[in-house]
Amino acid sequence: MNASTDLDALTDFFDRYGVALTSGDLPAIASCYALPGLVVADTYSFSFNSPAAVALSFVGAAPDYQDRELVAAHARIEDVRPMSALLTMVAVEWEFLDSRGHAVPGERYSYLLRTTGEGPVISTVVRTA
């Protein structure tokens, strides 16, 4: 097993994650994370040690996507850097589509992915500029 740097595999992973985010599928979101996992932003950080904790941390995201009428998310992969035998850092800019078919600017994140037997999972996510 090697760190996932295959763009098709990474695209498939982020497509699945984007669908889970915009549909509010909390179990599917949780399945995209390694445990323990870490989220880091400018003014806060938090970790989670269970799928329930991951799901709880995303409870507010689904209503936000619905309020903004976001129906689809696409991760534009900007950079892929192998970090070790099983870790890969992936820079992503999210692009969203609203219910009227309009593109909505997204945000940028760096994801530290761990390769497992089932594929990549998010170990750490950092909101970036």
Side-chain angles (χ1 to χ4, degrees):
M1 193 168 20
N2 292 317
S4 183
T5 58
D6 178 289
L7 282 180
D8 289 337
L10 293 172
T11 298
D12 288 346
F13 171 77
F14 284 110
D15 285 349
R16 185 167 41 90
Y17 184 56
V19 167
L21 288 172
T22 56
S23 67
D25 186 342
L26 298 177
I29 292 170
S31 74
C32 291
Y33 279 83
L35 298 175
L38 180 64
V39 174
V40 179
D42 285 342
T43 57
Y44 63 89
S45 296
F46 62 89
S47 63
F48 30 76
N49 293 311
S50 70
V54 176
L56 185 60
S57 71
F58 282 93
V59 164
D64 178 57
Y65 289 137
Q66 290 171 349
D67 290 346
R68 295 168 49 197
E69 298 182 24
L70 301 179
V71 297
H74 171 71
R76 189 170 61 81
I77 297 173
E78 297 179 323
D79 190 36
V80 177
R81 294 179 187 240
M83 304 298 285
S84 72
L86 297 177
L87 299 175
T88 306
M89 185 66 75
V90 181
V92 168
E93 179 182 11
W94 285 98
E95 301 166 331
F96 296 99
L97 188 66
D98 70 15
S99 61
R100 294 179 299 281
H102 298 123
V104 177
E107 299 166 335
R108 284 186 162 87
Y109 291 88
S110 288
Y111 295 90
L112 181 61
L113 302 180
R114 177 176 294 126
T115 299
T116 69
E118 291 78 43
V121 289
I122 301 166
S123 178
T124 302
V125 58
V126 179
R127 184 167 181 196
T128 57

